[in-house]
Amino acid sequence: MSRLGERRGGESVLPPYPSEFESEMETEVEETDGEGLTPAAKHPGRRGGVAEGTTNEVHMGSHAPSDRNVPGWMRKDNSSATLDATAVPSRQEMEDDYVTVQHPETPHNEETMHVCRDMRRLLDMREQYVYVSRPSSAAAAGGTSTSGGRVATPRQQKNPFVWEPRPASDHSFEFVRGVVHVYDRNGNVAFAPKHTANEFFKDLHHVLRVVNSGPVKSFCHHRLLLLEQKFNMHLMLNADKEFFAQKGAPHRDFYNVRKVDTHVHHSSCMNQKHLLRFIKHKLRKEPDEVVAKIDGKERTLAEVFELLNLTGYDLNVDTLDMHADKHTFHRFDKFNLKYNPCGQSQLREIFIKQDNLLEGRYLAELTQEVFSDLMASKYQMAEYRISIYGRKATEWDTLAAWVCNNALHCDNVQWMIQIPRLYEIYHGNGTLQNFQQMIDNIFNSLFEVTIDPQSHPQLHMFLQTVVGFDMVDDESRPERRPSKSHMPQPCDWNVPHNPAFAYYAYYIEANLHVLNDFRQSKGLNTFAFRPHAGEAGDLDHLATSFLLAHNIAHGINLRKSPGLQYMFYLAQIGLCMSPLSNNSLFLDYHKNPLPTFLARGLFISLSSDDPLQIHLTKEPLVEEYSVAAQVWKLTSCDMCEMARNSVLMSGFPHQCKQHWVSDQYWLPGVAGNDIHKTNVPSLRVRYRYDTWCNEMRYIYHSELARMPSAPVELRAAQPPGFAASALGTPNGGRETVPRPAPLLEVSVGTAVASKSPPLSPQVTRRIRNGHRHMMMTDGVGSSSGGSTDGEIPGARSRAHYGDDSGDESDDEEEDGSEGRRSSAGLVVSANEMERLERSSSLPSGVTEVSTTVAETIAEGVAPVGAEANGDVASAASDDAGGKAGEEDAAENDSTGEVAHASAADS
Ligand SMILES: [Zn+2]
């Protein structure tokens, strides 16, 4: 479609769609200022710090004629739209070239209403379980990953391995029915789990029952297909514009946007060639190093190789034989054996274990080399998982000593802890008698060190660099779903077989939850729960993760459950997908659901999983992107979008995300994106947010219709999607007026307006929180909460995102004006509706739409620009695009900035 993406120079153009097409899919072409330039092109020198299009739109809107560009047939209800002259469709001009896709919604019938009600209930459940850190003054003072608040540079921490004494508290703790309770000095419970195991299992059963019910499956399937088609339509209409917007963003391209490898295991973080080179080097330089005890006798490296009948000269990648191949497909056990170089477990012990005769020196050196590769590449980050097995109590100290003594810290890397679900094996060999012992081994040290950092100083320091907990193992092994009421407690779980995924997940998450609450109260960093789930095996794993996890690794099994897939979409739970890894283990590449998920708007990032077994190049993450782009014909915009997602769902500190995504990355929609940093056009971000808002409103609109007070005609023939799109703010938060009304909107709007049954506070909270979960899916949620008090722009938003309890009152305060009531007469008449709109889309105090456009500019936009040129931007936008110069120049500049900043630090 040749120039559909082009402007047409200010003239309003009626879309030439045939009538039968209109009935299928209404397309609203929105023209803008008519200069034929993208905002980036108009402001080539704009500094980073302002989300692309954010300010431009409002400016354009403010002095552009209101509705000259709007085809009359689209605005059937001119009268109500013109009630407030300042609010007439100036949004048309505010949109930078956005062609939105709208479609008629089928009316809610009895079944749909039940389905929506069930899904709302599931979203509420998730909210009760998932840990969301709350801002607290203590956290602000001590949040480690934020370095105390002020946004300065993307440097994470000065040196995390410098001991800073912290006072002990007189808390105590004990495990009650498998979950820890923390007591204060008087013996009162200070922190305890919110839910018992039985409550959780009951809720899990409920989730599974809902997502497996016929009507829910049909509904979700339908909605997902619709989402997919909408995205395809969006691409047809806007792909060119996205492309031009990217071209217009100076300096940025796919290579120099930040991307995080959100799911990668440390023991396979190097590639084969790297490991081979390292082994050969050691064999040449340190042949006499005593490296292992074999049959009770200490052996040097040269002797070990002699015993194995290997020489350095023989060694090549083929003899190393660590690459996953056709024999590993559906054979997780064989895949695990690939961790043994040359098939020899001794070599694995020597080179890729941290708990060996060398105290992990070789692995530490390898890790340092991987670190320096990452630092050289500059734009690639990783979150490496290291194992805590829970088989003995000293594991934490050993691990912490290894990390601290070898100073394994790098600004491009965050640590995560992975817990392999291996109770079965440890019970089998007599290490563990029951499951409670495993929990003790995992959590005792963590609570001890939180009470008194002095008790495990190195662990205390190491934990400050840990951002999350993962849970790993072969998911394809059969298991029995936990029953609702009579599951044995961990201390009674002394049978030889492994507990189910859900059982592990509950006890790990519940203890982690208490630990997080406890640590947050002391101003320490907290940990996200980000398990492997949905790689294989039962849907239980995904249902469990829906309730408990911040985001998950894999998730390919969502393709088997439209219900869960749609719930993951609504909750915007991150999926760290690894199609190349799946290709080696569980699912052929061409069957991978990633492109479908991406089109449907699931929150996706690409990750490498096991570079040692899977990838061939030195940059496994880029290899992953590269293959995906080739096979699925992804555009640069798609890739940059996934890269942006990966940063958002990662555990990197608050100020890194500010530096890499947007100064206000936590805001929904366009305001949370800066094309100069992410190379993601605001069009794309807006499309995603619009679409998601629309779905949320669709789900919640039925609550309105369900109310007895709602008029009959509303229940009978309501097209909630339309009403919703008119109600809300698909404009990423800056819509001042309802959309032009297509089709049935007038009657619906009137119906809603005349009766105006209020939306419950729950609805507003839900929509708001839905986004919060998306953005705060990690330890950084805590840090942004923690760092926030008054330090960063848009501080008011944190009240929304960070604190459930205070939300309503905050809304009341912000809702002081009634100025939009009349303009909203089209559809938004209820006060509650307005609150919904504001709270869902305008959580920031910064770009909030106030009563008039003029005020918006005065209050909202101008400060954003000011901030962009102020402290934050100048401190955080090294190469964020303002230079518009040579890449090298910008590179040097950024290096200089970092150097400068570290000098300032010291
Ligand atoms: Zn993995």
Side-chain angles (χ1 to χ4, degrees):
M1 28 206 318
S2 56
R3 306 303 284 174
L4 212 115
E6 284 288 290
R7 302 262 183 133
R8 299 186 188 108
E11 287 293 304
S12 76
V13 180
L14 205 66
Y17 300 126
S19 55
E20 71 272 20
F21 182 76
E22 280 172 29
S23 65
E24 290 294 322
M25 184 81 79
E26 285 293 331
T27 308
E28 175 190 340
V29 176
E30 296 167 352
E31 291 300 329
T32 54
D33 61 305
E35 289 179 38
L37 289 173
T38 63
K42 286 200 306 192
H43 302 277
R46 180 173 287 282
R47 294 284 311 198
V50 184
E52 183 224 357
T54 313
T55 52
N56 295 327
E57 292 157 25
V58 183
H59 276 296
M60 281 187 267
S62 65
H63 43 67
S66 55
D67 53 357
R68 90 186 135 85
N69 291 334
V70 183
W73 62 272
M74 285 186 172
R75 295 191 296 108
K76 293 192 176 177
D77 195 357
N78 285 321
S79 56
S80 57
T82 51
L83 283 175
D84 181 348
T86 61
V88 171
S90 50
R91 196 177 68 79
Q92 299 296 310
E93 286 77 24
M94 293 199 279
E95 302 276 359
D96 55 331
D97 271 356
Y98 186 24
V99 183
T100 56
V101 181
Q102 294 200 347
H103 54 89
E105 294 284 14
T106 46
H108 278 192
N109 56 26
E110 194 81 9
E111 184 178 289
T112 321
M113 281 192 285
H114 284 131
V115 168
C116 290
R117 184 201 57 203
D118 286 343
M119 288 195 294
R120 290 194 298 269
R121 167 117 194 265
L122 297 195
L123 289 170
D124 284 342
M125 277 179 164
R126 169 170 164 84
E127 184 161 289
Q128 286 164 20
Y129 280 101
V130 169
Y131 179 78
V132 179
S133 63
R134 287 156 211 282
S136 72
S137 50
T144 53
S145 47
T146 59
S147 313
R150 189 177 176 283
V151 180
T153 72
R155 307 289 290 183
Q156 294 171 21
Q157 296 133 13
K158 302 146 274 182
N159 177 0
F161 306 126
V162 175
W163 172 248
E164 290 173 13
R166 272 180 161 269
S169 61
D170 38 21
H171 289 91
S172 58
F173 68 95
E174 71 171 329
F175 285 90
V176 180
R177 289 184 295 279
V179 187
V180 83
H181 287 53
V182 177
Y183 305 98
D184 62 16
R185 74 170 80 175
N186 302 320
N188 301 320
V189 176
F191 303 99
K194 311 262 181 311
H195 304 271
T196 65
N198 281 340
E199 282 167 357
F200 172 73
F201 295 135
K202 215 169 126 205
D203 287 346
L204 175 64
H205 279 254
H206 179 76
V207 172
L208 285 164
R209 195 169 59 244
V210 169
V211 298
N212 286 325
S213 80
V216 170
K217 282 202 270 193
S218 312
F219 176 87
C220 295
H221 178 66
H222 177 79
R223 298 303 302 183
L224 289 166
L225 285 184
L226 191 64
L227 283 169
E228 199 176 331
Q229 295 304 327
K230 268 171 103 165
F231 182 71
N232 290 334
M233 194 74 171
H234 165 78
L235 287 187
M236 289 173 72
L237 295 167
N238 296 310
D240 286 355
K241 296 166 190 172
E242 290 180 343
F243 176 66
F244 288 125
Q246 285 193 314
K247 274 200 342 186
H251 179 58
R252 278 304 150 206
D253 51 37
F254 168 72
Y255 291 98
N256 66 13
V257 298
R258 264 66 177 205
K259 32 200 132 21
V260 181
D261 199 342
T262 42
H263 158 209
V264 52
H265 303 276
H266 171 249
S267 52
S268 55
C269 67
M270 69 301 285
N271 62 48
Q272 283 188 83
K273 189 76 190 159
H274 185 177
L275 181 62
L276 180 73
R277 206 173 53 231
F278 185 85
I279 292 176
K280 285 188 169 193
H281 177 81
K282 287 295 167 196
L283 202 52
R284 212 166 47 240
K285 299 283 176 188
E286 303 177 15
D288 301 325
E289 182 77 33
V290 176
V291 292
K293 222 175 205 174
I294 298 173
D295 301 330
K297 198 165 165 228
E298 289 190 343
R299 302 280 185 175
T300 65
L301 190 57
E303 287 169 347
V304 171
F305 272 80
E306 217 166 281
L307 281 175
L308 297 175
N309 209 11
L310 287 166
T311 69
Y313 181 77
D314 295 337
L315 277 182
N316 59 31
V317 164
D318 299 329
T319 46
L320 210 56
D321 191 25
M322 302 180 81
H323 218 263
D325 51 28
K326 62 182 184 202
H327 303 295
T328 60
F329 200 67
H330 285 285
R331 288 296 302 272
F332 204 88
D333 51 340
K334 286 196 173 177
F335 185 83
N336 270 340
L337 292 177
K338 289 283 180 185
Y339 277 97
N340 298 325
C342 309
Q344 302 294 338
S345 60
Q346 284 102 331
L347 294 184
R348 178 183 188 176
E349 183 79 23
I350 293 167
F351 286 100
I352 44 182
K353 289 269 183 188
Q354 72 241 0
D355 189 8
N356 55 23
L357 219 56
L358 294 159
E359 296 180 332
R361 180 166 66 82
Y362 283 171
L363 182 59
E365 288 174 19
L366 262 171
T367 307
Q368 292 287 13
E369 290 179 12
V370 173
F371 283 2
S372 45
D373 283 351
L374 279 174
M375 285 196 288
S377 81
K378 183 173 170 182
Y379 297 100
Q380 295 173 53
M381 326 288 157
E383 300 184 302
Y384 291 131
R385 280 113 171 111
I386 341 183
S387 295
I388 286 291
Y389 299 92
R391 100 199 112 165
K392 48 187 177 190
T394 53
E395 282 172 22
W396 277 109
D397 290 323
T398 314
L399 176 60
W402 177 74
V403 172
C404 292
N405 295 339
N406 293 293
L408 292 175
H409 170 70
C410 159
D411 277 347
N412 294 47
V413 170
Q414 298 279 10
W415 290 118
M416 287 190 52
I417 300 299
Q418 63 178 20
I419 299 171
R421 299 193 309 277
L422 296 177
Y423 163 81
E424 193 176 31
I425 291 177
Y426 307 140
H427 184 274
N429 63 23
T431 318
L432 298 176
Q433 272 67 54
N434 59 52
F435 189 66
Q436 179 64 46
Q437 291 175 347
M438 188 165 173
I439 293 179
D440 288 343
N441 291 337
I442 295 170
F443 284 99
N444 267 335
S445 305
L446 297 177
F447 281 94
E448 285 164 15
V449 77
T450 303
I451 291 172
D452 180 10
Q454 199 79 48
S455 62
H456 306 259
Q458 287 187 315
L459 178 56
H460 172 73
M461 292 186 283
F462 167 56
L463 283 181
Q464 300 191 6
T465 65
V466 173
V467 297
F469 279 61
D470 193 350
M471 212 172 67
V472 298
D473 199 36
D474 183 3
E475 284 190 72
S476 62
R477 286 190 299 179
E479 62 179 33
R480 285 183 67 174
R481 179 180 303 167
S483 75
K484 273 190 261 187
S485 49
H486 15 65
M487 285 307 288
Q489 292 171 18
C491 57
D492 298 328
W493 190 286
N494 48 18
V495 289
H497 53 263
N498 217 17
F501 180 96
Y503 191 89
Y504 268 103
Y506 170 76
Y507 284 104
I508 289 174
E509 201 278 340
N511 283 301
L512 202 58
H513 206 113
V514 178
L515 180 71
N516 279 341
D517 280 339
F518 186 28
R519 287 180 70 85
Q520 177 129 34
S521 78
K522 303 192 92 187
L524 296 165
N525 62 319
T526 56
F527 311 109
F529 182 55
R530 299 166 55 182
H532 276 54
E535 183 183 16
D538 293 341
L539 288 177
D540 296 24
H541 306 184
L542 287 163
T544 303
S545 304
F546 171 75
L547 288 176
L548 300 179
H550 290 91
N551 56 54
I552 61 170
H554 294 300
I556 47 175
N557 270 0
L558 284 175
R559 72 192 191 280
K560 297 177 177 172
S561 167
L564 277 168
Q565 194 185 129
Y566 190 62
M567 294 314 298
F568 269 66
Y569 170 74
L570 289 181
Q572 287 287 295
I573 301 170
L575 307 179
C576 310
M577 301 185 75
S578 310
L580 282 175
S581 159
N582 300 147
N583 189 51
S584 301
L585 263 168
F586 289 106
L587 187 67
D588 284 341
Y589 203 94
H590 65 275
K591 291 181 185 162
N592 201 286
L594 188 142
T596 313
F597 288 179
L598 184 69
R600 292 174 178 181
L602 277 89
F603 193 35
I604 287 177
S605 66
L606 265 177
S607 53
S608 62
D609 200 357
D610 293 289
L612 181 58
Q613 277 79 27
I614 294 158
H615 298 81
L616 298 174
T617 68
K618 199 179 159 187
E619 299 192 355
L621 186 58
V622 172
E623 188 178 340
E624 195 81 39
Y625 275 94
S626 165
V627 176
Q630 297 290 344
V631 174
W632 293 318
K633 299 185 168 47
L634 301 181
T635 62
S636 161
C637 184
D638 297 329
M639 295 207 288
C640 292
E641 185 187 12
M642 286 194 287
R644 175 179 181 267
N645 290 349
S646 75
V647 174
L648 289 175
M649 68 176 76
S650 78
F652 276 86
H654 169 67
Q655 71 267 37
C656 289
K657 292 186 181 179
Q658 279 193 307
H659 186 62
W660 300 342
V661 173
S662 157
D663 287 351
Q664 305 176 69
Y665 68 89
W666 59 88
L667 294 181
V670 181
N673 180 56
D674 182 350
I675 190 174
H676 297 115
K677 299 182 176 186
T678 60
N679 203 30
V680 181
S682 60
L683 259 181
R684 175 61 68 91
V685 179
R686 178 178 301 159
Y687 167 77
R688 294 295 190 201
Y689 185 58
D690 287 1
T691 314
W692 177 80
C693 284
N694 211 47
E695 293 301 313
M696 290 298 274
R697 291 193 195 96
Y698 189 77
I699 301 298
Y700 278 89
H701 206 87
S702 68
E703 185 174 81
L704 184 68
R706 186 168 59 83
M707 287 178 177
S709 60
V712 178
E713 62 271 30
L714 184 66
R715 269 175 283 169
Q718 160 214 32
F722 273 140
S725 69
L727 282 175
T729 58
N731 186 18
R734 269 155 314 286
E735 183 164 14
T736 51
V737 284
R739 285 169 175 278
L743 297 179
L744 295 166
E745 192 163 72
V746 176
S747 61
V748 174
T750 313
V752 177
S754 60
K755 300 292 180 184
S756 66
L759 274 187
S760 71
Q762 193 193 19
V763 177
T764 58
R765 189 168 46 85
R766 152 65 40 230
I767 293 189
R768 180 169 60 242
N769 287 345
H771 184 77
R772 180 187 65 192
H773 285 168
M774 167 179 157
M775 305 306 279
M776 301 292 183
T777 53
D778 44 30
V780 172
S782 66
S783 40
S784 65
S787 75
T788 46
D789 294 335
E791 298 290 340
I792 55 175
R796 282 161 76 194
S797 68
R798 288 180 299 273
H800 289 286
Y801 284 136
D803 188 351
D804 285 329
S805 56
D807 282 352
E808 300 311 323
S809 58
D810 285 344
D811 286 348
E812 295 290 349
E813 281 168 26
E814 289 181 17
D815 202 22
S817 74
E818 302 198 347
R820 293 169 59 216
R821 201 58 38 84
S822 56
S823 74
L826 180 64
V827 279
V828 190
S829 66
N831 188 26
E832 290 288 340
M833 285 296 186
E834 196 162 322
R835 286 177 51 187
L836 161 68
E837 179 176 335
R838 283 166 166 251
S839 56
S840 65
S841 319
L842 305 170
S844 129
V846 179
T847 51
E848 180 180 356
V849 176
S850 23
T851 51
T852 63
V853 174
E855 273 181 49
T856 307
I857 294 164
E859 293 173 11
V861 178
V864 172
E867 280 149 12
N869 294 323
D871 291 346
V872 179
S874 61
S877 67
D878 60 22
D879 46 355
K883 314 289 187 294
E886 301 291 307
E887 185 167 273
D888 290 345
E891 297 287 342
N892 293 337
D893 182 69
S894 78
T895 321
E897 182 98 25
V898 171
H900 170 72
S902 46
D905 276 348
S906 60

